[in-house]
Amino acid sequence: MNSHKTIPEVMKAIVAYAPHDYRLEEVPVPKPGPGEILVKVKSAGICASDIKCYTGAPLFWGDENRTAYCEAPVIPGHEFVGEVVELGEGAKELYHLEIGDHAVSEQIVPCGECRYCKNGHYWMCNVHDIYGFHQRTQGAWAEYMLFPKGAFNFKVPKSIPLHHAAFIEPLACSIHAVERGDIKYQDTVVIAGCGPLGLGMFAAAKMKSPARIIALDMQDERLELALRSGADIGINVTKENAVKKVLELTDGYGCDVYIEATGHPSAVEQGLNMIRKMGTFVEFSVMREKVTVDWTIIGDTKELNIHGSHLGPNCYPVAIRMLEQGLLPMEEIVTHKFPLTDYQKAIDLVADGLTSVKVTLEP
């Protein structure tokens, strides 16, 4: 086993016990076994799904209709980059990583045994161990974290600033959502939501070379950032009738591809109304509550292609390359950095959603 000499026995970590009950504690530093890697966390992002978990959304904590997704007590954090400080037996050869390398790990650690894993659809793994939500995959809101055996790990070039490298996970998710849209060269693509994930989608969609990319949001500042990330047109939905505007831009037909990345139910209905017949609707968001729509639009009226999008399978190398190439204005996207001790301020800032884009914790 290879390691740095100065790894402590205990570390500071944020531990989630229940909605609104997250605590800064001292916990043991994990020990890597065969095929496992210990990293010192350098930067960890706060995702919109982290906020939904913190505020008690049923998806994460369960209700009468569903089992809890969050296995508390657990250390949150699935957006991260770390420095390799200890390699379990065989991990160096398996992952081609050295002590001191910067590394990320794909957000899901698949079981390798279920039907989905065996069919190659590992991101839909039936066991579904995700960093920051499950006991086997403790997250990155801590000084150290473990990449378990079976994880998909990637070396990160040191030319990428660490607080930018924490954006690899959300960017990979954005890339996958764009791939699910099956964008063609003459398509009009609408992406609703100019948060961190939406911004990644604009850059990824630009690489597909559609005829035009339209950004929808409620804040002019975010729409301007979307234009710098790859969008061609920005529409503030509080100032214009977005459905009418998109229809005008497409000779009354509607957009070819609509990607929903707001997490708001109204954006789902909006998309169904502005997409053309036989268009492709990609639902990306983690919704806090259930959403009800007129399914007749989907079926009899428009015969739409409805695609979900989950995680960022096979997209991490692409995300790393996009950051290397500077395809996103990362200094404008990562707007705030906090020490681990100020986790509550960071959570509150993201929950407010008015003055930040991407917020990171720097253990």
Side-chain angles (χ1 to χ4, degrees):
M1 180 181 291
N2 299 317
S3 68
H4 279 318
K5 295 179 180 179
T6 55
I7 298 171
E9 292 296 319
V10 297
M11 65 179 181
K12 291 184 174 64
I14 310 305
V15 182
Y17 286 90
H20 300 284
D21 185 7
Y22 285 36
R23 310 172 198 172
L24 179 62
E25 298 184 342
E26 281 200 345
V27 302
V29 174
K31 305 292 184 184
E36 297 183 333
I37 296 173
L38 182 71
V39 302
K40 182 172 177 57
V41 179
K42 291 297 186 178
S43 186
I46 300 177
C47 177
S49 63
D50 290 319
I51 301 304
K52 291 181 175 73
C53 185
Y54 176 78
T55 55
L59 171 64
F60 298 98
W61 298 101
D63 57 20
E64 67 276 8
N65 297 315
R66 68 178 89 198
T67 304
Y69 186 71
C70 183
E71 297 175 356
V74 66
I75 299 170
H78 58 277
E79 304 176 358
F80 52 79
V81 63
E83 179 187 353
V84 177
V85 294
E86 191 166 359
L87 291 161
E89 182 183 351
K92 176 180 178 180
E93 295 75 18
L94 184 62
Y95 295 110
H96 306 290
L97 289 170
E98 303 276 356
I99 299 297
D101 283 346
H102 295 168
V104 294
S105 186
E106 197 161 323
Q107 65 274 76
I108 188 169
V109 181
C111 73
E113 297 297 327
C114 71
R115 177 195 298 180
Y116 302 107
C117 287
K118 288 182 175 180
N119 287 343
H121 302 134
Y122 68 91
W123 64 99
M124 301 306 298
C125 172
N126 219 36
V127 177
H128 222 75
D129 283 329
I130 300 281
Y131 286 110
F133 296 108
H134 301 114
Q135 292 295 318
R136 188 169 78 100
T137 45
Q138 300 285 328
W141 294 6
E143 293 179 302
Y144 294 86
M145 70 179 297
L146 188 73
F147 296 173
K149 186 177 181 180
F152 295 161
N153 306 322
F154 302 90
K155 184 177 178 178
V156 177
K158 291 188 176 179
S159 59
I160 301 176
L162 289 165
H163 61 294
H164 296 178
F167 196 66
I168 291 169
E169 189 275 346
L171 182 53
C173 292
S174 299
I175 294 164
H176 182 54
V178 167
E179 288 183 335
R180 295 287 285 159
D182 192 25
I183 295 169
K184 303 295 192 297
Y185 292 125
Q186 290 303 312
D187 282 352
T188 292
V189 179
V190 173
I191 298 172
C194 300
L197 289 152
L199 295 171
M201 291 175 194
F202 296 120
K206 196 73 171 179
M207 294 167 70
K208 297 285 188 178
S209 298
R212 62 168 74 88
I213 303 169
I214 301 172
L216 306 182
D217 203 90
M218 300 172 68
Q219 298 181 36
D220 288 337
E221 296 82 3
R222 290 205 174 197
L223 288 166
E224 291 168 6
L225 190 50
L227 296 177
R228 291 192 288 278
S229 299
D232 300 302
I233 299 167
I235 300 173
N236 187 320
V237 298
T238 68
K239 298 178 179 179
E240 292 187 79
N241 184 322
V243 174
K244 182 180 178 182
K245 181 71 173 178
V246 169
L247 290 173
E248 289 174 353
L249 290 167
T250 56
D251 298 323
Y253 287 98
C255 62
D256 302 281
V257 179
Y258 181 91
I259 304 177
E260 195 289 302
T262 71
H264 296 290
S266 61
V268 178
E269 184 175 11
Q270 169 185 262
L272 294 177
N273 289 328
M274 73 169 56
I275 196 169
R276 68 166 172 82
K277 294 177 181 179
M278 303 183 75
T280 298
F281 187 117
V282 179
E283 180 50 60
F284 173 83
S285 294
V286 176
M287 296 287 179
R288 179 180 172 84
E289 309 294 346
K290 294 179 181 178
V291 179
T292 302
V293 297
D294 181 359
W295 277 76
T296 305
I297 298 173
I298 297 168
D300 184 64
T301 306
K302 291 189 175 181
E303 196 175 311
L304 298 178
N305 301 301
I306 305 295
H307 293 174
S309 180
H310 182 58
L311 304 184
N314 305 307
C315 295
Y316 274 60
V318 180
I320 291 169
R321 176 163 56 86
M322 288 174 68
L323 292 180
E324 272 192 293
Q325 294 175 346
L327 299 185
L328 282 154
M330 290 305 302
E331 288 299 337
E332 296 179 77
I333 291 174
V334 183
T335 54
H336 297 79
K337 296 182 287 184
F338 288 88
L340 201 61
T341 50
D342 285 343
Y343 73 96
Q344 191 62 60
K345 291 180 182 177
I347 289 172
D348 292 343
L349 183 66
V350 179
D352 176 65
L354 297 177
T355 58
S356 67
V357 182
K358 174 53 65 179
V359 176
T360 60
L361 295 170
E362 313 285 320

